[in-house]
Amino acid sequence: MSNNPQVKATLEHIENRERELADQAGQLRDRIEELTRQLGEIDTESENLRITRKTLLTLPVPSPATEPEGPDIPDHPAYQQILTALADTGRPMRARDLCQALDLPILPKNTEGIRSKLKRLVSRGTSPSPNPACSPAPALEDHLAPMTSDPCPTSTSKRTRTHVPHSEGRAGCRCGGS
């Protein structure tokens, strides 16, 4: 090296600058390696998506008949109210309980109307129970033994079942349904 102080300072400055540039080049090479790795991952995923698209386009389209049909709910809003009441309580309900839940007077016409709607829902596959009179417990009539020719459970003629009070009334019952 030279003894000249100016040349010495210039050479030191050049060495420092060379080190800085070498560091910057090393950092750029590291970034290039990272970006190359990321680019490879993106290319691989893109190729996978292309293959998936190609595979899906070659699959046959399923026919509409193979899709399951939903239950056929009647258009009247009472049916939706019944299904909502059953879902809200989360417990078995009889027609009388549903009348109370729907704020209907407990009258034979209302309970029989609810019962017929429940039967229709069951026949269409929308009721949570196969028993339309109660969801899911069996109906009152299912618990009783068959009776003789007298349809009134409170009459004095010979019966084959025990007396069961009923408040909903019974068609042909001469006792008044109380």
Side-chain angles (χ1 to χ4, degrees):
M1 285 218 196
S2 163
N3 289 335
N4 185 349
Q6 278 184 334
V7 173
K8 209 178 205 181
T10 304
L11 289 175
E12 284 179 22
H13 177 70
I14 290 174
E15 286 178 19
N16 288 337
R17 183 67 183 144
E18 282 179 336
R19 271 189 249 119
E20 289 173 3
L21 291 175
D23 288 344
Q24 286 179 356
Q27 290 173 357
L28 288 174
R29 283 186 187 93
D30 291 343
R31 282 187 61 199
I32 288 172
E33 287 176 14
E34 177 63 22
L35 291 173
T36 303
R37 184 190 60 75
Q38 289 177 358
L39 181 60
E41 290 173 0
I42 289 172
D43 286 341
T44 301
E45 186 175 350
S46 179
E47 179 66 15
N48 289 341
L49 291 173
R50 187 188 64 75
I51 292 170
T52 302
R53 181 187 314 109
K54 184 178 178 181
T55 303
L56 287 174
L57 290 174
T58 61
L59 292 176
V61 177
S63 64
T66 59
E67 295 179 16
E69 293 184 20
D72 183 23
I73 300 175
D75 291 334
H76 197 276
Y79 292 96
Q80 188 59 46
Q81 291 171 346
I82 289 171
L83 290 173
T84 302
L86 288 171
D88 288 347
T89 60
R91 64 175 177 81
M93 294 182 78
R94 295 194 177 280
R96 178 182 175 99
D97 298 332
L98 279 168
C99 283
Q100 289 174 338
L102 298 173
D103 294 326
L104 295 173
I106 308 299
L107 298 173
K109 68 177 187 173
N110 292 337
T111 54
E112 290 305 318
I114 294 290
R115 188 171 286 115
S116 71
K117 285 177 179 59
L118 286 170
K119 287 179 182 179
R120 184 167 294 126
L121 288 171
V122 167
S123 70
R124 294 177 181 218
T126 57
S127 176
S129 168
N131 183 353
C134 180
S135 176
L140 175 64
E141 290 79 13
D142 295 342
H143 292 291
L144 303 176
M147 57 184 213
T148 59
S149 62
D150 186 2
C152 179
T154 57
S155 70
T156 57
S157 66
K158 184 177 179 183
R159 299 183 308 272
T160 58
R161 67 176 185 191
T162 59
H163 170 69
V164 177
H166 56 282
S167 60
E168 298 177 13
R170 186 178 305 278
C173 183
R174 294 182 296 274
C175 68
S178 59

